[in-house]
Amino acid sequence: MQRSAILRVFHGLVISTALLAAASALGQTPALKLGDEGPAVETLQRLLNARLKPSPGLEVDGDFGNGTQSALQRFQKEKGLPETGRADPGTWSALGTLGPAEGADPPVPAPEVVNAEKAAKKPADPLDGPPFTTAKAWAVADGRTGRLILGHEAETPLEMASTTKMMTALLVARLAADDPKALGEAIVFSRRADRTPGSTSGVREGESVKAGELLYGLLLPSGNDAATAFAEHFGGRFAPPEGSPGEADPLARFVAEMNRAAKSLGLGRTHFANPHGLPAKGHHASAADLAVLAAAVVADPTLAGVVSTPRRGAALEGPDSKSRNVVWTNTNRLLDTEGYDGVKTGTTNGAGNCLVASGHRGERRRIVVILGAPSSDGRYADARNLFRWAWKQP
């Protein structure tokens, strides 16, 4: 087949896996990204459904949406490829082509068969019990002890995104409990901290800020850079990871202490690979574990004050002795409603939309954990519905 003919087919109405293989040999596999559409996207969706186990169950509709992107990143992660979420030549090569029995659309039945079908219905929705939710997993827990009251997939380890930072903050608070001067120490941002990707506190390399102030930069705008800076500053005070007695990197020592603290709290389905929550192998927690961790956070008077703060202004000191002001805004949208006072949001493509929320009514306190909601609005709706159910319980 001529090269030009292959290109015409790519832009036509139909793309077959045979053509895809031929195009791949000529280096003409289509580069696809979020928002693209067309027959090539349909082929990508069929391949992802066939290659991933369990199958993501993508609808083969030719629309490269968030679901297709998440499935593609999962495939890239499994194959050790850069997790770009884009279908590049290396990804197409790893996907291969569909066999004769793979990805085929089922035969279309005759109209009289379809029109004679009687649709079966499930029983009517119950009027009692907790509300229906959109999240992969959730937990409702006692806000003072973290004891699980009710949950769905609450013991399943899942990606947790920036809810990780609750443990980062808790380690700093524990250091301050032993030495109150720790919160007054100036933390100078390194190049590694400044260049940590994702959500940021906006502190630049060479600038410094007191540790007590940086807790707001960590927990309000969810600064990944702040998490790295804390780990670098305080990590040297902790023991090295087990099996690496010579580890000198303070960040690695800090993460090792995060895991020791998780063990001490009884978080049996939690493991940390970094201090901020960016995707990493072996970085996960269960909703029930995060409820226990959140209870420890709100029990600490310093951290309770931080996570309930909507906005915080701070002054940064530059290497040239010039001061610069920043404002940190809390990402937790529940804080504009009376009765909610924390704790932490988290969002990545793999983890979905996560939320650890703390609420009180009189002397009663509850914690709700949402993991893997499909949208930001969904996590807040799930949380508020679960709180409403929780307040009605004796």
Side-chain angles (χ1 to χ4, degrees), residues 139-150 287 290-298 343 355-359 365-369 387 390-391:
V140 178
D142 182 278
R144 304 195 185 281
T145 66
R147 178 185 60 83
L148 183 66
I149 297 172
L150 193 68
L290 290 176
V292 174
L293 177 56
V297 169
V298 297
V343 178
L355 174 67
V356 179
S358 171
R365 178 176 290 280
R366 294 289 180 263
I367 288 170
V368 167
V369 178
F387 271 112
W391 299 132

Side-chain angles (χ1 to χ4, degrees), residues 32-49:
L32 301 176
K33 63 184 184 304
L34 189 68
D36 286 345
E37 56 186 24
V41 177
E42 292 183 15
T43 297
L44 175 64
Q45 291 165 332
R46 287 190 174 94
L47 282 163
L48 289 170
N49 282 338

Side-chain angles (χ1 to χ4, degrees), residues 117-137:
E117 291 175 349
K118 299 292 184 182
K121 288 193 175 184
K122 299 177 182 178
D125 289 337
L127 299 180
D128 57 355
F132 297 109
T133 57
T134 64
K136 291 180 182 178

Side-chain angles (χ1 to χ4, degrees), residues 91-104:
T91 302
W92 282 114
S93 177
L95 284 165
T97 57
L98 292 170
E102 293 181 306

Side-chain angles (χ1 to χ4, degrees), residues 269-358:
R269 292 172 175 82
T270 295
H271 186 269
F272 298 102
N274 59 55
H276 36 64
L278 288 170
K281 185 178 181 180
H283 193 89
H284 56 255
S286 70
D289 280 0
L290 290 176
V292 174
L293 177 56
V297 169
V298 297
D300 182 277
T302 297
L303 298 184
V306 173
V307 298
S308 62
T309 300
R311 274 163 57 93
R312 178 78 173 187
L316 311 177
E317 295 296 326
D320 54 4
S321 299
K322 291 184 179 180
S323 179
R324 181 171 68 91
N325 296 332
V326 293
V327 176
W328 292 316
T329 302
N330 204 315
T331 57
N332 184 355
R333 284 164 34 191
L334 290 182
L335 294 182
D336 64 2
T337 301
E338 185 64 39
Y340 298 112
D341 51 17
V343 178
K344 190 71 193 73
T345 63
T347 309
T348 63
N349 287 331
N353 294 269
C354 305
L355 174 67
V356 179
S358 171

Side-chain angles (χ1 to χ4, degrees), residues 51 96 110 346 351:
R51 298 291 178 259

